[in-house]
Amino acid sequence: DVKVTQSSRYLVKRTGEKVFLECVQDMDHENMFWYRQDPGLGLRLIYFSYDVKMKEKGDIPEGYSVSREKKERFSLILESASTNQTSMYLCASSLFTEVNTEAFFGQGTRLTVV
Amino acid sequence: DQQVKQNSPSLSVQEGRISILNCDYTNSMFDYFLWYKKYPAEGPTFLISISSIKDKNEDGRFTVFLNKSAKHLSLHIVPSQPGDSAVYFCAASSSGNTPLVFGKGTRLSVIA
């Protein structure tokens, strides 16, 4: 059974803190993604990675960075958390393929910045 | 500029009836379309997909229709059940290992 696991379901952090969101997949997928979901805005892509040590900016990368040191792990970093980064964060993974396929999502991390 | 649009934020349907969720897209390079279902406090789960070489794909109670000329797809759920109550996201991608682009979602409520 495919599995994408995010390290925390709920997090509360203070403004200005450095925040790490971790994601691990056990499907040997090359692609990994970070999205955020906000009411009325849907899922928006923050960053993605096609391979170890590779990263590409998505639609809303400002205020975020990522790290992919191992194939199975993709970390999202909020360098200095702000209240407008309060959101549901969703990690996903998929196969690297020219023929499109679905992405598998983790359970999400609800981050609140106070 | 939104490439995938779900213009109905919410939809309410009676149990046993058909639910029809709509999605429009603007990028003519999209050739693969998906529907995801999401419950509160959970990640989205894949429901059904369709390639641009088809105009219909069916899986049990779920059918997706694609109209390429209108750049429109729809998800039909028949019969609707209370457990179908969730937010449904339409997503699209183009060939070449590109990320999925999502719509804003439609909240479906199935009333018993």
Side-chain angles (χ1 to χ4, degrees):
Chain A
D1 199 17
V2 298
K3 196 102 175 166
V4 179
T5 303
Q6 295 181 230
S7 52
S8 305
R9 291 295 296 268
Y10 300 94
L11 273 180
V12 180
K13 296 292 181 181
R14 295 199 178 275
T15 302
E17 274 193 79
K18 191 168 186 175
V19 181
F20 293 86
L21 303 183
E22 308 285 348
C23 176
V24 177
Q25 50 95 4
D26 65 359
M27 296 165 282
D28 203 33
H29 285 169
E30 293 81 9
N31 300 332
M32 295 190 76
F33 310 89
W34 276 105
Y35 291 87
R36 62 178 279 180
Q37 183 204 356
D38 300 288
L41 296 177
L43 274 69
R44 294 180 292 166
L45 182 65
I46 305 171
Y47 266 98
F48 58 103
S49 169
Y50 292 134
D51 200 353
V52 174
K53 297 195 185 296
M54 286 187 63
K55 60 183 179 184
E56 298 281 345
K57 291 181 180 179
D59 299 317
I60 51 165
E62 296 79 17
Y64 304 94
S65 62
V66 290
S67 173
R68 186 134 182 235
E69 296 296 318
K70 293 185 177 182
K71 187 177 184 180
E72 67 270 18
R73 188 178 296 270
F74 193 35
S75 303
L76 180 69
I77 304 154
L78 287 66
E79 296 290 342
S80 177
S82 63
T83 54
N84 63 12
Q85 292 178 310
T86 292
S87 186
M88 168 72 98
Y89 289 87
L90 295 160
C91 175
S93 72
S94 70
L95 283 170
F96 187 110
T97 174
E98 290 299 316
V99 178
N100 290 313
T101 185
E102 70 268 28
F104 296 87
F105 282 84
Q107 78 277 27
T109 296
R110 170 72 65 185
L111 173 67
T112 303
V113 182
V114 298
Chain B
D1 184 32
Q2 236 192 316
Q3 298 184 75
V4 177
K5 300 177 185 179
Q6 294 178 257
N7 293 319
S8 298
S10 63
L11 175 68
S12 194
V13 170
Q14 233 173 351
E15 182 180 5
R17 307 279 236 177
I18 184 171
S19 295
I20 300 176
L21 294 91
N22 293 304
C23 178
D24 298 294
Y25 62 97
T26 57
N27 189 339
S28 56
M29 298 300 292
F30 287 152
D31 57 8
Y32 186 64
F33 305 90
L34 310 87
W35 286 94
Y36 280 82
K37 176 180 180 179
K38 187 181 184 297
Y39 293 118
E42 292 184 16
T45 54
F46 169 72
L47 201 54
I48 192 169
S49 64
I50 188 166
S51 164
S52 60
I53 61 173
K54 294 185 173 182
D55 54 18
K56 177 182 172 181
N57 189 26
E58 195 170 350
D59 183 2
R61 297 186 297 115
F62 302 92
T63 303
V64 56
F65 295 92
L66 175 62
N67 182 334
K68 288 186 289 294
S69 60
K71 291 192 176 70
H72 177 84
L73 62 153
S74 60
L75 174 69
H76 292 211
I77 307 174
V78 183
S80 300
Q81 299 172 353
D84 296 330
S85 297
V87 177
Y88 289 79
F89 290 99
C90 173
S93 70
S94 51
S95 296
N97 201 56
T98 59
L100 296 177
V101 178
F102 285 84
K104 293 184 176 182
T106 297
R107 182 178 300 280
L108 173 66
S109 300
V110 180
I111 304 159

